[in-house]
Amino acid sequence: MVRVAALIAFLTCVALSEAQHEPGYCAFYDECGRNPSVGESLIPPLVPCLNYSRARLVTGQHYWQLKQVCPMLDQGEGNTFACCSLKQLSSLETSLTLSKAVLVRCPSCAENFAHLHCINTCSPNQTQTVKVTKVTNITNSLNNTKEVVVGYQAFLNTNFADGAFKSCENVRIPATGGFAIATMCGRYGAKLCTAQRWYDFQGDSSNGLAPLDIDFRLIKDGDTEGVPTGVIPYNGRALKCNETTPSGGQVCSCQDCQESCPSVPSPPPPPSPFTIFEIDGFLFISLILFSVLVFAFLLYLCVACVIKHKKRQNGKKGETIKKGKDQNCNDVTQKIVHPSEVTFAEKNSLAAQAFLSAGFQRWGTLMATYPLTVLLLSAGVVVVFSAGLKSIELTTDPVELWSAPNSRARQEKDFHDMHFNPFFRTNQLILTAPDRKGYIYDSLLFGQQNFSGIISKDLIIELLELQTRILNITFWSEDLNRTASLKDVCYAPLNPSNPTLTDCAVNSLPQYFQNSIDNINAKVNMTELGVTKEVDWRDHLIYCLNSPLSFKDITDLDMSCMADYGAPVFSFLAVGGYKNEDYTNAEALIMTFSLNNYPRNNPKFKVAMEWEKEFLKIVQDYQKSPDTNFTFAYMAERSLEDEINRTTAEDIPIFMISYAVIFVYIAVALGEYSSCKRILVDSKFLVGLGGILVVGCSVLASMGFYSWIGVPSSLVILQVVPFLVLAVGADNIFIFVLEYQRDVRRPGETREQHIGRVLGNVAPSMLLCSLSESVCFFLGALSTMPAVKTFALYAALAVLMDFILQMTAFVALLSLDARRQDNNRCELICCVTVSTQRPYKRNEGFLLPFMRKYYAPFLLHSYTRITVMVLFIFLFCACLFLMFNVKVGLDQELAMPQGSYMLDYFHYLYKYFEVGVPVYFVTKRGFNFTTVEGMNAVCSSVGCDQFSLTQKIQYATEYPDRSYLAIPANSWVDDFIDWLNPGSKCCRLYTIGPNTGKFCPANQSSLLCLRKCMSIPADGVLRPDGEQFNRFLPDFLGNRPDLQCPKGGLGAYDTAVVRDANGEIIASRFMAYHTTLTNSQEFTAALQMTRELAYNITMGMRNISGTSPDFEVFPYTVTNTFYEQYLTIVPEGLFNISMCLLPTFVVCCLLLGLDLWSGLLNLITIIMIVVDTVGVMTLWGIDYNAVALINLVTAVGISVEFVSHLTRSFALSIKPTHVERAMEATANMGSAVFAGVAMTNLPGIMVLAFAKAQLIQIFFFRLNLVITLLGMVHGLIFLPVLLSYLGPGVNKAVLLQLQKAKAKAAQELVMRSQVYDNLNYEDHEPKQGPYSEPSKMDTSTKMKMKENQREVISNRF
């Protein structure tokens, strides 16, 4: 009790210590007087009172003072908390004023300086960044003694600390020409000053400014050494010297900030491979680690041999020993344990095991006594939980599955879709004609041009005919209650309100001829430089491919290049597979139909889906037609979802077969077959079925519960969770049933007591695994990925429910089955009985004797053990190296089934497309476009900033292999300025008529519109003022481009600028194009690079006066929500797996009575399984992604099954040597684990190899096969060997208990023998029972004594 009390006191102290560093708490507050240890000072050294309390809500004058001194802490009036009083704020302001006097030339430096001291003094989370280290008592004038703080540690993240220092290191003092930092770094001066030295000077109370000593601790990311529990080093954002401050300060000058000096940014060099001594760095580390581990192991062997040799030489002097026999009948010695030798931990371990065993024994007996009642109650609970399935919500939207609602990509998508509508739906064909030969065309205007075989008139006409068929699609729409067509759902940029078919955006090569066969057939003689020659469609096409924005070509055909819907068709949207802009030599034609993307609850969403269905029918019929001259690939927007749903439906039978195979195996393997006549009696078909039903019920209960509370499910959950719970549940079932079959019912013991005793033996091990896995998955729910989070939640509850049902319903079911078997009744046909009696002996089956007699001795042979250790160390180090080379991502082709037409489409897309998906650079509210400075910061024309938004994007496109940008962004600001130019006819005003003074379109007569919108500027740089900007911008955005005014913004920009009711621009976008992105690694890299570019642009535009501090530019691509996860999936995965590994260690330690060593060995083995799994993923081409992460989390759960049972069995063994204990654990528990986990999973996994879906083949068949095989070899090969070397010693408390039990049994035997000697044998002849054998009384009594002794010992476990 004393030790327990001491432990509780210690833990309480620890808890209180940790409580000192919590969010929302202050370490000190208000001023209590002068610091007695500080002498003369520039300002009074007033120190704060020690006061651990909650942060105060600041209001009124207090709030306004805080906002003025520390604006970075302002959260709005009524919502701002702080840890400083008005007095402290006044003192802080005085101190900062003196310091800022030399730093004010660089506002960001001064802001960072104030930021630092505001955080230390006033942060509402002060205790998370500050640790008080020195206090003293001072007495005020009223004789009140108070405890004050005279020293503390301030913890800063190096990112913030270095950033703040860097912003100030080049600030100069004009009067001297020196650096301001020289006066603030003490003896080091400017040259030797570092961030740490700068902060050390600031925290030195002898500098005349600091009222107390501050020990600044600069902590790197991830470094926890020296950081108190609960402390989070402050990692605020330090402003750069070339940034504006939130309070409106401009960028630092070039003199004070090198970053402000203009220079064309060059892309950073690609990161060089990690090498050490010109060797792959990870390979080098792995080799060193392998060498160290092998050396340590060999050293351990040598030391062990020396110690063993010395023991043999010293003999057994001074030891009291007793002889015994091991399982191989070899003489062994076992030390007699004295009670004083038993440690507190060993007593705890014994007590924990005894408590759990006794509790489960009583519970099992109760469940077995009332089986029907238990089954009925269990069914009732399952039904109640499962009733929630009526409101189940199945998430199929990939965005909802893989992108968290609060993730950056989702927020950006929501912002974009809210202001600009979702990205349109794409329906596309990519056509080739590989059998057509190319030719050379001698053009009058362009000279000799190479034409590929597909650029021929007959194929263009055939493409136009196909396009016309698709355009004329009609169908009956139940939602519209009329015949629908493309015009009802198409994207019509120039006539969105009432479109016709010709207004629909269709991009294809025939659009260069306005979809007119007459235009394609047109030809005319033309004279150029005295040469007369016929020009035809080819000349027009050459011109349009190179000048798609032209309203009129340069031939005498006088045809426009614009599509019939009025917009240009860029070359890369019409042809593909060309090189160096040799468009006429393209290998493919591209045809794209764009539809509006409606919300799923909009009736027109179904109309669009139906149109796409008809589109696919026409395209597929055309592909099958023998008259088709094209080889092509195609897709509709609905294709991805259709193909995924199709393959899911087709693979459901595969999963059902997989579960059926597992069920058959369980039913057969659980049976105990003593003779052919008793096969139907001894089989365990109903028990196996019951076990499967328990798993199914636990999954249904989990799904129903979460459906009750509104947590959505997904196909991943439906596919993975049953498999996982089946693996866990089958293992427990096998352990329980096999232990029951191997155990002999004791004389006088009822069936129910027998079941309860067996449950008491094995249930703690089942609890250990199930609880570890359940807690593991609950902690895995901390993931930010919705699919991973929901999977973890469903799996955690399902595993927990499975254990509960096993402890209740399955125990009851086994009790009923045992009753049937005892009555010799056949399974399924219970009315039939057999005459052959059940043999009274242990039924060990085949596997247990095999592992005991052959496998365990071979595995644990001295030479085999050494070989195993070396091989597994090599495997771990090799897989550790491979782990660092695993690919991160998930290519979208893998979501498609084999043979899908989408696979052909992806192949064509990557091969023939010359540009990738569009990327929008979106601006948010807070930037003033109406000022000259604002326009210059965006545009790229004359007079614009050389580092404007569009100019920076232009710079990035010069390095497409690094930036992944192929085409610069369009700019509505540039075109608006050009549209305003008085040199064009675009912007004019009516001078007569009722519209006098209003905008006059370019197609109106000049007589009506004699006045220009703007006059010609003197310096040639046209910029509207704010009034002109707001007046004419709506006219520009509504002006349809035509030959008279091609700069009109309708179609191109009318949806690119969003204004509020007051005319303020709250959102705008600038569209560029990515390079062709072919895999998830490139998509992820492109996202990262565009974000970096957007951040750079944001920082630059925030420097413009009048820009909001929270103004932001972000890149948006429709694929960002899918690929953002791969930017953080590695740390996310490490976090999730770590969260899963933690409970396996903790629970193992707790349930084994604080056996830390067993828990550590358990943890090491599971870590090796996970590392080896990732390494094999690299070898087998399995990429690391969210689906793989789910399986790796599952791997931790399954590994617990392979490892924890064996670890517990070893820890509780009382064999005298490590090797013998490992043999016993391997034979007894290893056989159950092999039969229950490995052989349960493997047959089902092998069936999944026949699935059509590549995702299932790769991430369910391959990965689960790897997990199962690695778990099996580690659990049944490596772990027994590891335990034989490093396993914990025999629990002395158990040995002491054994000694006492043996002594007591011997004493009882002697006493009873004396009693029986005085009694008449005939009067006390034993009666024969079903579990007793004819024998003499003394023999029966001895057997009973042994059984009593065995019961005493087993009750401890």
Side-chain angles (χ1 to χ4, degrees):
M1 290 298 294
V2 174
R3 294 183 179 180
V4 172
L7 178 62
I8 293 174
F10 172 76
L11 294 177
T12 304
C13 293
V14 171
L16 289 174
S17 176
E18 293 175 347
Q20 298 300 311
H21 302 288
E22 295 180 290
Y25 278 82
C26 306
F28 43 80
Y29 187 83
D30 209 354
E31 293 178 346
C32 281
R34 293 177 60 94
N35 188 344
S37 62
V38 176
E40 294 185 0
S41 177
L42 297 175
I43 58 175
L46 301 175
V47 288
C49 311
L50 181 65
N51 188 344
Y52 178 76
S53 58
R54 287 190 175 273
R56 277 72 167 174
L57 176 67
V58 293
T59 57
Q61 179 61 29
H62 195 174
Y63 166 73
W64 291 109
Q65 182 78 357
L66 178 72
K67 185 176 181 179
Q68 179 180 352
V69 179
C70 300
M72 69 289 299
L73 298 178
D74 179 24
Q75 300 295 323
E77 190 167 10
N79 195 38
T80 301
F81 293 81
C83 285
C84 56
S85 65
L86 269 172
K87 292 180 181 179
Q88 286 177 285
L89 278 173
S90 298
S91 299
L92 177 62
E93 184 177 22
T94 301
S95 177
L96 291 178
T97 300
L98 293 175
S99 300
K100 285 183 176 180
V102 293
L103 300 175
V104 72
R105 280 176 50 85
C106 183
S108 60
C109 168
E111 188 84 1
N112 288 334
F113 189 87
H115 191 166
L116 166 68
H117 293 285
C118 284
I119 289 298
N120 287 345
T121 307
C122 296
S123 171
N125 301 316
Q126 190 180 64
T127 58
Q128 287 194 301
T129 59
V130 166
K131 177 185 178 182
V132 175
T133 57
K134 192 176 182 181
V135 296
T136 189
N137 292 326
I138 62 173
T139 303
N140 59 18
S141 57
L142 300 177
N143 283 331
N144 292 327
T145 301
K146 293 186 177 181
E147 198 172 22
V148 299
V149 177
V150 294
Y152 63 84
Q153 291 177 334
F155 295 86
L156 303 177
N157 188 283
T158 53
N159 294 329
F160 173 81
D162 293 340
F165 172 76
K166 190 174 181 180
S167 69
C168 297
E169 65 178 345
N170 293 318
V171 177
R172 294 182 179 270
I173 301 176
T176 64
F179 293 96
I181 204 78
T183 65
M184 305 178 67
C185 212
R187 58 190 177 89
Y188 295 104
K191 187 175 182 179
L192 298 178
C193 192
T194 63
Q196 184 66 65
R197 290 168 177 172
W198 186 46
Y199 288 115
D200 288 343
F201 180 82
Q202 294 180 46
D204 187 354
S205 59
S206 64
N207 63 18
L209 292 174
L212 71 170
D213 293 316
I214 307 174
D215 180 12
F216 287 95
R217 298 294 182 94
L218 309 188
I219 309 298
K220 296 181 179 179
D221 281 335
D223 189 1
T224 59
E225 185 177 356
V227 180
T229 302
V231 167
I232 302 175
Y234 183 70
N235 193 20
R237 182 178 176 277
L239 296 171
K240 298 180 180 179
C241 59
N242 61 340
E243 293 179 311
T244 57
T245 66
S247 57
Q250 297 300 307
V251 298
C252 307
S253 67
C254 181
Q255 185 181 26
D256 298 312
C257 176
Q258 294 180 356
E259 288 83 355
S260 296
C261 300
S263 61
V264 177
S266 58
S272 56
F274 173 51
T275 60
I276 299 176
F277 302 120
E278 299 183 356
I279 303 175
D280 185 292
F282 298 116
L283 176 60
F284 182 84
I285 292 173
S286 299
L287 291 174
I288 293 298
L289 179 62
F290 174 73
S291 302
V292 170
L293 291 177
V294 171
F295 174 77
F297 173 64
L298 295 178
L299 180 63
Y300 166 81
L301 291 180
C302 294
V303 172
C305 289
V306 171
I307 293 175
K308 186 176 181 181
H309 180 68
K310 287 184 177 180
K311 283 186 176 181
R312 287 180 178 176
Q313 288 181 340
N314 294 335
K316 301 174 182 178
K317 299 177 181 179
E319 292 187 356
T320 304
I321 52 98
K322 56 185 292 185
K323 292 283 184 177
K325 298 275 187 182
D326 66 5
Q327 63 184 15
N328 297 319
C329 296
N330 299 316
D331 288 336
V332 296
T333 58
Q334 190 175 75
K335 181 179 178 180
I336 295 178
V337 179
H338 191 273
S340 62
E341 299 179 36
V342 180
T343 64
F344 180 71
E346 289 173 329
K347 289 180 180 179
N348 278 342
S349 178
L350 179 62
Q353 299 308 316
F355 173 77
L356 291 174
S357 181
F360 278 114
Q361 181 173 348
R362 288 191 294 270
W363 175 264
T365 303
L366 178 64
M367 295 298 103
T369 303
Y370 307 101
L372 294 178
T373 303
V374 171
L375 287 174
L376 184 62
L377 292 176
S378 299
V381 172
V382 171
V383 169
V384 171
F385 274 75
S386 302
L389 291 172
K390 62 182 176 57
S391 56
I392 188 172
E393 179 183 348
L394 195 64
T395 302
T396 57
D397 186 353
V399 175
E400 297 290 337
L401 276 175
W402 305 114
S403 183
N406 59 347
S407 68
R408 177 177 172 181
R410 279 290 295 279
Q411 291 178 346
E412 291 171 349
K413 179 184 185 300
D414 293 343
F415 181 91
H416 176 274
D417 292 352
M418 181 177 65
H419 292 91
F420 306 106
N421 296 324
F423 195 80
F424 46 77
R425 302 176 67 89
T426 300
N427 302 271
Q428 194 169 70
L429 294 92
I430 305 174
L431 307 100
T432 63
D435 297 332
R436 289 292 188 103
K437 293 184 179 179
Y439 61 96
I440 297 176
Y441 172 63
D442 189 8
S443 170
L444 172 69
L445 298 173
F446 307 105
Q448 290 189 344
Q449 297 287 319
N450 291 319
F451 272 66
S452 65
I454 200 171
I455 309 295
S456 60
K457 181 190 288 189
D458 61 321
L459 291 182
I460 293 175
I461 292 175
E462 185 175 342
L463 179 63
L464 177 58
E465 292 173 349
L466 175 61
Q467 177 179 305
T468 304
R469 286 179 59 191
I470 296 172
L471 280 170
N472 292 329
I473 288 175
T474 59
F475 55 92
W476 178 260
S477 170
E478 295 292 341
D479 296 279
L480 300 180
N481 198 28
R482 61 176 173 82
T483 300
S485 65
L486 178 62
K487 68 179 182 179
D488 293 303
V489 291
C490 74
Y491 172 62
L494 296 179
N495 188 16
S497 58
N498 187 28
T500 63
L501 280 180
T502 55
D503 292 321
C504 294
V506 179
N507 291 310
S508 64
L509 189 140
Q511 285 283 23
Y512 290 127
F513 304 92
Q514 293 74 52
N515 296 330
S516 169
I517 293 181
D518 292 338
N519 287 351
I520 296 175
N521 290 325
K523 59 181 69 175
V524 65
N525 288 328
M526 181 176 177
T527 301
E528 181 75 13
L529 299 176
V531 178
T532 301
K533 198 171 183 180
E534 184 179 80
V535 295
D536 58 13
W537 65 272
R538 289 169 290 195
D539 299 274
H540 176 72
L541 182 62
I542 295 171
Y543 177 79
C544 289
L545 284 170
N546 290 277
S547 303
L549 292 170
S550 298
F551 284 88
K552 183 178 178 298
D553 64 16
I554 61 174
T555 72
D556 287 352
L557 293 170
D558 291 333
M559 290 191 300
S560 172
C561 294
M562 290 289 184
D564 65 350
Y565 67 91
V569 177
F570 294 104
S571 306
F572 53 83
L573 296 178
V575 294
Y578 54 84
K579 295 180 180 179
N580 300 322
E581 299 184 355
D582 186 9
Y583 301 118
T584 57
N585 206 24
E587 298 178 6
L589 301 179
I590 302 170
M591 182 164 60
T592 307
F593 296 82
S594 300
L595 275 60
N596 290 319
N597 203 347
Y598 302 98
R600 288 181 177 261
N601 57 0
N602 190 316
K604 283 199 171 184
F605 174 79
K606 294 182 179 179
V607 179
M609 293 285 283
E610 189 65 28
W611 186 92
E612 290 172 356
K613 183 178 180 180
E614 298 297 324
F615 164 81
L616 289 173
K617 286 182 181 178
I618 289 179
V619 171
Q620 289 165 355
D621 290 342
Y622 177 71
Q623 190 176 44
K624 297 174 184 177
S625 173
D627 299 328
T628 301
N629 292 309
F630 290 109
T631 300
F632 64 93
Y634 59 93
M635 66 85 68
E637 186 72 21
R638 64 177 292 160
S639 294
L640 279 172
E641 189 171 343
D642 284 350
E643 289 297 278
I644 291 174
N645 291 338
R646 178 176 69 85
T647 187
T648 300
E650 291 177 352
D651 285 332
I652 286 178
I654 298 294
F655 276 94
M656 299 308 296
I657 293 173
S658 174
Y659 292 135
V661 169
I662 294 173
F663 163 67
V664 171
Y665 165 74
I666 292 175
V668 173
L670 285 180
E672 46 179 344
Y673 309 104
S674 56
S675 67
C676 295
K677 296 181 179 180
R678 290 185 57 87
I679 287 180
L680 293 179
V681 177
D682 295 335
S683 66
K684 287 291 184 288
F685 179 85
L686 291 179
V687 172
L689 177 62
I692 298 291
L693 289 177
V694 164
V695 171
C697 289
S698 64
V699 174
L700 290 176
S702 176
M703 295 179 66
F705 173 78
Y706 285 116
S707 298
W708 274 120
I709 63 176
V711 178
S713 182
S714 67
L715 291 175
V716 174
I717 292 173
L718 296 179
Q719 292 169 342
V720 181
V721 172
F723 177 81
L724 169 66
V725 181
L726 188 60
V728 174
D731 183 32
N732 289 342
I733 290 171
F734 267 87
I735 291 173
F736 184 24
V737 175
L738 290 181
E739 181 69 14
Y740 175 75
Q741 292 173 348
R742 294 169 182 175
D743 190 84
V744 179
R745 192 175 303 166
R746 298 172 182 174
E749 187 177 48
T750 65
R751 180 192 309 106
E752 291 74 16
Q753 290 172 339
H754 183 199
I755 293 175
R757 180 170 53 80
V758 171
L759 186 67
N761 291 340
V762 299
S765 184
M766 297 163 64
L767 175 64
L768 168 62
C769 292
S770 298
L771 188 59
S772 297
E773 291 155 357
S774 186
V775 176
C776 156
F777 291 126
F778 274 123
L779 290 177
L782 296 174
S783 172
T784 59
M785 295 183 191
V788 178
K789 181 176 183 176
T790 55
F791 161 77
L793 287 173
Y794 275 78
L797 185 57
V799 170
L800 189 60
M801 286 297 300
D802 182 58
F803 175 76
I804 293 173
L805 290 176
Q806 285 175 344
M807 293 296 102
T808 53
F810 187 77
V811 174
L813 184 64
L814 184 64
S815 176
L816 291 176
D817 187 75
R819 182 184 304 174
R820 174 197 61 79
Q821 190 175 13
D822 288 346
N823 293 328
N824 296 325
R825 295 185 179 275
C826 293
E827 201 163 31
L828 299 180
I829 45 177
C830 299
C831 57
V832 178
T833 61
V834 296
S835 58
T836 305
Q837 294 297 315
R838 181 182 180 186
Y840 181 68
K841 62 179 182 179
R842 295 182 63 186
N843 183 5
E844 295 186 343
F846 164 76
L847 193 58
L848 176 58
F850 171 80
M851 297 192 79
R852 180 192 298 135
K853 188 173 182 181
Y854 300 104
Y855 177 74
F858 171 77
L859 175 65
L860 296 168
H861 188 276
S862 57
Y863 294 120
T864 308
R865 290 194 297 156
I866 295 173
T867 304
V868 167
M869 288 297 294
V870 174
L871 286 179
F872 274 84
I873 291 174
F874 172 78
L875 177 63
F876 173 73
C877 294
C879 289
L880 186 65
F881 164 69
L882 292 171
M883 184 178 68
F884 288 106
N885 292 279
V886 68
K887 285 186 177 180
V888 176
L890 176 63
D891 294 335
Q892 51 190 342
E893 303 98 293
L894 295 181
M896 299 296 101
Q898 293 178 346
S900 171
Y901 65 85
M902 286 298 294
L903 296 177
D904 294 330
Y905 172 76
F906 288 131
H907 173 71
Y908 275 52
L909 179 69
Y910 300 150
K911 182 176 181 181
Y912 296 116
F913 253 71
E914 298 302 320
V915 297
V917 294
V919 53
Y920 296 100
F921 288 86
V922 182
T923 67
K924 291 186 175 182
R925 181 196 294 267
F927 184 79
N928 190 356
F929 288 90
T930 64
T931 65
V932 173
E933 192 178 12
M935 284 180 277
N936 288 341
V938 175
C939 65
S940 56
S941 58
V942 59
C944 298
D945 187 348
Q946 59 178 331
F947 300 119
S948 65
L949 181 150
T950 52
Q951 194 61 54
K952 286 181 178 179
I953 298 175
Q954 169 68 42
Y955 293 149
T957 58
E958 295 175 1
Y959 304 92
D961 57 328
R962 306 288 297 283
S963 66
Y964 297 94
L965 291 175
I967 298 176
N970 58 20
S971 171
W972 62 267
V973 176
D974 285 276
D975 281 346
F976 178 45
I977 293 172
D978 291 342
W979 183 83
L980 288 170
N981 195 314
S984 71
K985 295 177 61 177
C986 289
C987 191
R988 303 174 300 164
L989 301 176
Y990 284 105
T991 52
I992 58 175
N995 295 322
T996 300
K998 295 183 178 179
F999 168 70
C1000 174
N1003 55 9
Q1004 294 293 320
S1005 171
S1006 298
L1007 297 177
L1008 300 175
C1009 313
L1010 299 176
R1011 182 181 169 191
K1012 300 288 186 179
C1013 294
M1014 294 188 65
S1015 58
I1016 300 175
D1019 59 358
V1021 179
L1022 179 72
R1023 297 290 185 272
D1025 58 28
E1027 181 183 355
Q1028 293 169 325
F1029 188 100
N1030 291 321
R1031 176 184 177 184
F1032 295 121
L1033 180 61
D1035 298 325
F1036 163 70
L1037 297 175
N1039 187 204
R1040 180 172 181 139
D1042 55 23
L1043 186 60
Q1044 300 296 323
C1045 180
K1047 292 291 186 178
L1050 182 64
Y1053 303 121
D1054 60 313
T1055 59
V1057 183
V1058 181
R1059 305 197 304 165
D1060 63 11
N1062 298 322
E1064 180 186 358
I1065 296 176
I1066 58 176
S1068 69
R1069 65 181 183 181
F1070 303 81
M1071 184 177 71
Y1073 281 90
H1074 277 303
T1075 56
T1076 303
L1077 308 175
T1078 60
N1079 54 53
S1080 57
Q1081 289 78 30
E1082 292 182 356
F1083 276 103
T1084 305
L1087 170 60
Q1088 186 171 9
M1089 295 305 296
T1090 52
R1091 279 188 172 177
E1092 291 178 5
L1093 177 59
Y1095 176 79
N1096 182 276
I1097 294 171
T1098 301
M1099 294 300 101
M1101 295 180 70
R1102 284 182 181 177
N1103 292 332
I1104 305 300
S1105 59
T1107 302
S1108 173
D1110 59 354
F1111 168 76
E1112 181 186 4
V1113 178
F1114 66 86
Y1116 172 72
T1117 305
V1118 68
T1119 58
N1120 282 0
T1121 51
F1122 305 109
Y1123 293 103
E1124 182 191 41
Q1125 58 183 299
Y1126 302 120
L1127 294 176
T1128 58
I1129 196 169
V1130 173
E1132 177 89 9
L1134 291 174
F1135 172 77
N1136 283 329
I1137 293 174
S1138 299
M1139 287 294 99
C1140 288
L1141 291 172
L1142 180 63
T1144 65
F1145 172 74
V1146 174
V1147 174
C1148 183
C1149 293
L1150 291 177
L1151 293 186
L1152 290 178
L1154 300 179
D1155 187 349
L1156 299 179
W1157 191 244
S1158 294
L1160 181 61
L1161 295 179
N1162 204 53
L1163 180 64
I1164 289 173
T1165 308
I1166 296 174
I1167 291 174
M1168 290 180 67
I1169 294 174
V1170 174
V1171 170
D1172 291 352
T1173 299
V1174 180
V1176 177
M1177 284 171 57
T1178 306
L1179 289 177
W1180 209 350
I1182 305 173
D1183 292 350
Y1184 173 68
N1185 48 55
V1187 182
L1189 177 56
I1190 289 176
N1191 280 277
L1192 288 175
V1193 172
T1194 303
V1196 176
I1198 295 178
S1199 298
V1200 169
E1201 294 293 326
F1202 279 111
V1203 173
S1204 296
H1205 292 301
L1206 205 70
T1207 303
R1208 180 179 180 273
S1209 181
F1210 178 90
L1212 300 181
S1213 174
I1214 58 173
K1215 293 290 183 181
T1217 67
H1218 278 66
V1219 173
E1220 287 180 302
R1221 294 168 65 203
M1223 284 185 181
E1224 183 182 48
T1226 303
N1228 294 339
M1229 191 57 71
S1231 59
V1233 169
F1234 177 78
V1237 184
M1239 295 309 298
T1240 302
N1241 290 358
L1242 286 175
I1245 291 173
M1246 298 306 295
V1247 175
L1248 297 181
F1250 299 98
K1252 293 184 179 181
Q1254 297 183 83
L1255 271 179
I1256 294 177
Q1257 289 184 358
I1258 294 174
F1259 296 103
F1260 292 92
F1261 166 62
R1262 290 189 196 177
L1263 191 50
N1264 280 305
L1265 180 63
V1266 169
I1267 291 169
T1268 302
L1269 292 178
L1270 286 174
M1272 181 176 66
V1273 298
H1274 280 80
L1276 300 180
I1277 299 177
F1278 172 73
L1279 183 59
V1281 174
L1282 180 66
L1283 291 171
S1284 71
Y1285 283 119
L1286 302 175
V1290 178
N1291 191 322
K1292 294 179 182 178
V1294 176
L1295 294 180
L1296 180 62
Q1297 187 72 29
L1298 177 63
Q1299 291 174 189
K1300 292 180 178 179
K1302 286 182 178 180
K1304 182 179 180 181
Q1307 184 179 1
E1308 289 180 357
L1309 179 61
V1310 172
M1311 292 177 62
R1312 293 198 180 190
S1313 297
Q1314 293 174 353
V1315 172
Y1316 286 130
D1317 287 341
N1318 297 325
L1319 295 176
N1320 187 292
Y1321 175 79
E1322 286 77 5
D1323 293 337
H1324 302 278
E1325 183 178 358
K1327 297 181 180 181
Q1328 300 298 318
Y1331 293 99
S1332 63
E1333 295 181 357
S1335 62
K1336 294 182 180 180
M1337 181 58 66
D1338 57 342
T1339 304
S1340 175
T1341 304
K1342 292 178 181 179
M1343 289 180 61
K1344 189 174 182 180
M1345 294 304 99
K1346 292 181 179 179
E1347 291 295 338
N1348 289 338
Q1349 174 189 336
R1350 189 183 307 165
E1351 183 175 3
V1352 170
I1353 301 303
S1354 66
N1355 285 337
R1356 301 302 187 270
F1357 302 100

